[in-house]
Structure formats: structure tokens, C-alpha cells
């Protein structure tokens, strides 16, 4: 009886796995390209593309079927002669900046790049003024002495 | 005294950000990745039939009048939930072309036998090729395609009863 209950319980626990397909992965999902140079290019690109299903992994790190299908796209496009930048552009045209882990200057991200430069300029300005003041005071002190 | 008060500023700033972070943790996360392809023409594609009962689907099949493109799969549980709503849309005269993601013919036939068949055609996308090309990030998703083959609207997730009027309105707009 306990065994039966346990079996039913385990069966119910395993239900979510039914929500995955049982199809074999796409040809280039788990197979590397033969040319090591091309595979290195593809791999570098795959590490900077976000898995859309798992959200905090790159497609190189994810075992989600959709990530496999995205790896297949990347590898087969590299094999067909497309550059990594073109493939990234193709995906961004479909999913927005979200799909790329590579920081890019765009309409919504430019403050991220501008603010540090601004802060450094302000700090440099303040420092120069203060140091300048102190030197002047020092000079003044020297003169009186 | 003024200077003393200023000493508290960093702590106040820290408390503000800590509070903001705490508040954000209690907020729902937006899990949807919207397609950037709205307003763009459908990419070229031609998919084979997903099972024996219906023809496959290609870009050319969308010419003539506005239609729904339903991205689904027999292994997808929310697709069962939206099946009655697709039937309701079909009853209103809407043509629905399906694309089955990573699916087998026997499973597709089985699903349609159980939950009804609202489709005029179903293409089989075994490696999510067309799904990626139109910027869809999961199943089910439903796109409104106008008579010229331009993507007009995207509905993410299963279609609830309350979503049907919105889809009908978007189809009307796409005339």
C-alpha cells in the first residue's frame, strides 16, 4: 500500500516533465561544427546570447529545447558564412536587446555609459578645485612666512 | 548643525535603495519577451504538414484576408486550456493557421482528436525555426497577420475567454 502511494506520489511529482517535448534535439544543438575556428566563433557568440525560456542562462549553458534550437540556428548560420555580429543583429531584430548579454549603446542604455563618465568629470572638477585652493593657501602661507 | 545633518545622507541613501530593492522583490516579474516583429512582414517559410489530416503551412497561405497564426504544441499544457477559445474564434469565422513546435504527427492527431481541431492548416516546426524567425519565445502564442502578410499583433500565453474580443478587434483592424 505504501509502495503504491509512493509510486503515485512520484508519478504526480514527475508530471511537469510531461510539459516538455520528446523530440530529438536539432542537428547542431549538441554537435559542434567540424571546423574548430568556426566552432570557437559560434561558441563565443552562444555564451553572449540569452536563453529565452530560462532567462538567466546563456544558450550555451542551457539544456532547454528552445536553447538547443537557438544553438542550431547560430551554428548553421556560422557554417553558412554569416558573421557573429549579423546573427546577433538577426536575434535582436526579433527579441530586442533582451536576447543579447553583450552591452550595447542604444536609445535605452546610453545613460549606463554616460553616467560614469559624467561622475568622473565631476569628481575630477571638485578635486582640481580643492587641490588648487589648498596650493594657493599653501603659497599664501609661504609668502607670509 | 547643517553639516551634522549631512552626515546622515549616505545612510538615508542606503536605506532608500535597500527599501527599493525590498519592494521590488515583492513585485511580479514580467516574464514575457515581446516580439520586435510587430509591423514587419512574416519571414518566408514553408513547413511540411504536422500530420496526415491537414496541409502544411507557408507564408503564401496568409494572403487574402487577416488570419491568426497560432504557435502551439501537443506537449504544451496551456494549449489544452486555450483550445475552446480557438474553437470560439473559428465559430466566428476566423481562419487559424497552426504551427506545431517540436511535435510528432501521432501526438498532433491525438491532441486534435481530444481537444478539437480549429485549424485550417498546421505546419510542423521541428526545430523551432519559424518560431525564432517571428520572435516568439514560447507556446502558446498567437499572432494576428493581415491580408498582406504583415504581423500586426502578438498575444503571449494561452487565450482566455476575456482575450477573444481583443483578438477579434485586432483582426478587424488588420482588414
Amino acid at each position: 500500500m505504501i509502495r503504491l502511494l509512493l509510486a503515485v506520489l512520484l508519478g504526480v511529482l514527475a508530471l511537469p516533465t510531461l510539459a516538455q517535448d520528446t523530440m530529438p534535439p536539432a542537428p547542431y544543438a549538441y554537435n559542434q561544427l567540424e571546423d574548430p575556428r568556426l566552432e570557437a566563433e559560434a561558441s563565443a557568440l552562444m555564451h553572449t546570447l540569452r536563453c529565452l525560456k530560462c532567462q538567466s542562462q546563456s544558450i550555451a549553458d542551457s539544456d532547454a529545447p528552445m536553447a538547443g534550437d537557438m544553438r542550431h540556428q547560430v551554428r548553421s548560420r556560422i557554417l553558412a558564412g554569416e558573421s557573429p555580429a549579423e546573427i546577433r543583429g538577426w536575434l535582436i531584430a526579433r527579441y530586442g536587446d533582451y536576447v543579447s548579454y553583450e552591452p550595447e549603446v542604444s536609445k535605452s542604455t546610453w545613460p549606463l555609459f554616460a553616467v560614469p563618465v559624467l561622475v568622473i568629470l565631476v569628481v575630477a572638477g571638485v578635486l582640481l578645485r580643492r587641490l588648487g585652493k589648498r596650493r594657493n593657501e599653501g603659497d599664501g602661507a609661504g609668502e607670509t612666512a | 548643525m547643517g553639516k551634522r545633518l549631512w552626515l546622515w545622507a549616505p545612510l538615508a541613501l542606503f536605506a532608500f535603495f535597500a527599501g527599493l530593492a525590498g519592494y521590488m522583490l515583492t513585485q511580479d516579474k514580467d516574464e514575457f519577451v515581446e516580439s520586435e516583429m510587430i509591423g514587419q512582414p512574416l519571414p518566408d517559410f514553408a513547413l511540411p504538414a504536422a500530420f496526415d489530416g491537414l496541409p502544411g503551412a507557408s507564408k503564401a497561405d496568409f494572403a487574402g484576408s487577416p488570419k491568426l497564426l497560432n504557435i502551439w504544441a501537443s506537449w504544451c499544457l496551456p494549449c489544452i486550456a486555450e483550445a475552446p477559445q480557438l474553437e470560439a474564434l473559428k465559430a466566428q469565422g476566423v481562419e487559424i493557421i497552426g504551427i506545431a513546435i517540436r511535435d510528432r504527427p501521432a501526438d498532433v492527431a491525438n491532441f486534435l482528436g481530444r481537444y478539437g481541431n480549429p485549424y485550417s492548416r498546421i505546419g510542423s516546426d521541428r526545430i523551432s525555426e519559424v518560431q525564432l524567425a517571428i520572435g516568439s519565445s514560447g507556446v502558446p502564442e498567437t499572432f494576428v497577420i493581415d491580408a498582406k502578410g504583415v504581423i500586426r499583433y502578438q498575444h503571449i500565453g494561452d487565450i482566455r475567454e476575456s482575450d477573444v474580443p481583443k483578438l477579434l478587434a485586432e483582426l478587424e483592424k488588420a482588414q
Side-chain angles (χ1 to χ4, degrees):
Chain A
M1 186 60 199
I2 287 177
R3 273 199 186 171
L4 184 73
L5 272 175
L6 206 66
V8 169
L9 184 73
L10 285 176
V12 169
L13 280 178
L15 264 181
T17 59
L18 285 179
Q20 290 259 352
D21 62 288
T22 55
M23 292 281 285
Y28 281 122
Y30 289 96
N31 292 314
Q32 303 197 338
L33 295 171
E34 268 187 27
D35 185 336
R37 197 179 51 84
L38 291 182
E39 175 60 26
E41 258 182 43
S43 166
L45 177 60
M46 291 184 301
H47 277 96
T48 62
L49 292 174
R50 190 195 295 256
C51 167
L52 296 163
K53 295 303 293 178
C54 16
Q55 305 219 347
S56 293
Q57 281 181 310
S58 76
I59 59 171
D61 294 327
S62 170
D63 269 331
M66 196 181 192
D69 288 342
M70 288 171 81
R71 288 196 297 273
H72 173 80
Q73 286 292 322
V74 168
R75 286 199 174 106
S76 51
R77 278 164 191 271
I78 290 267
L79 196 61
E82 280 186 43
S83 75
E86 279 172 325
I87 300 168
R88 186 190 304 281
W90 187 84
L91 280 165
I92 289 178
R94 274 145 189 84
Y95 297 102
D97 291 340
Y98 184 83
V99 74
S100 174
Y101 276 128
E102 185 115 301
E104 248 173 87
V105 185
S106 76
K107 237 189 289 174
S108 58
T109 62
W110 68 263
L112 292 176
F113 297 86
V115 165
V117 175
L118 217 69
V119 167
I120 288 177
L121 283 179
V122 168
V123 167
V126 167
L127 272 181
L128 275 179
R129 259 183 55 183
R130 289 220 166 167
L131 290 178
K133 224 185 206 172
R134 193 165 291 172
R135 185 164 301 159
N136 283 343
E137 278 169 9
D139 287 352
E143 271 162 28
T144 50
Chain B
M1 184 61 203
K3 205 152 197 189
R4 267 262 180 88
L5 227 60
W6 269 108
L7 288 176
W8 291 96
L11 185 63
L13 209 64
F14 172 78
F16 169 73
F17 280 113
L20 189 69
Y23 170 72
M24 284 312 209
L25 280 177
T26 66
Q27 297 300 298
D28 281 337
K29 185 166 161 253
D30 184 6
E31 305 261 347
F32 293 152
V33 186
E34 278 170 36
S35 173
E36 299 274 317
M37 291 292 281
I38 313 299
Q40 304 285 326
L42 269 179
D44 267 320
F45 71 92
L47 292 174
F51 77 121
D52 282 341
L54 284 176
S58 69
K59 186 188 174 181
D61 298 322
F62 286 89
S65 62
K67 296 180 181 68
L68 288 183
L69 169 57
N70 183 235
I71 304 280
W72 69 288
S74 70
W75 45 265
C76 137
L77 295 176
C79 298
I80 301 172
E82 79 169 0
Q85 306 317 324
L86 290 177
E87 284 292 346
L89 283 158
K90 185 195 174 193
Q92 299 254 11
V94 177
E95 183 175 345
I96 306 167
I97 296 179
I99 290 184
I101 305 298
R102 305 186 61 85
D103 226 330
R104 291 172 203 280
D107 296 339
V108 169
N110 185 20
F111 183 98
L112 298 179
R114 254 202 233 185
Y115 307 108
N117 174 13
Y119 304 103
S120 62
R121 303 166 161 274
I122 305 177
S124 171
D125 193 356
R126 301 180 74 112
I127 52 171
S128 315
E129 215 172 359
V130 177
Q131 185 179 29
L132 290 168
I134 62 174
S136 155
S137 53
V139 279
E141 280 186 22
T142 305
F143 293 82
V144 173
I145 315 291
D146 74 11
K148 292 199 182 93
V150 176
I151 303 171
R152 288 293 174 194
Y153 178 75
Q154 177 192 25
H155 178 88
I156 301 178
D158 55 314
I159 301 171
R160 310 270 165 91
E161 207 176 340
S162 52
D163 300 320
V164 172
K166 173 73 178 156
L167 281 169
L168 287 171
E170 289 292 336
L171 281 162
E172 189 63 36
K173 264 207 292 193
Q175 278 291 346

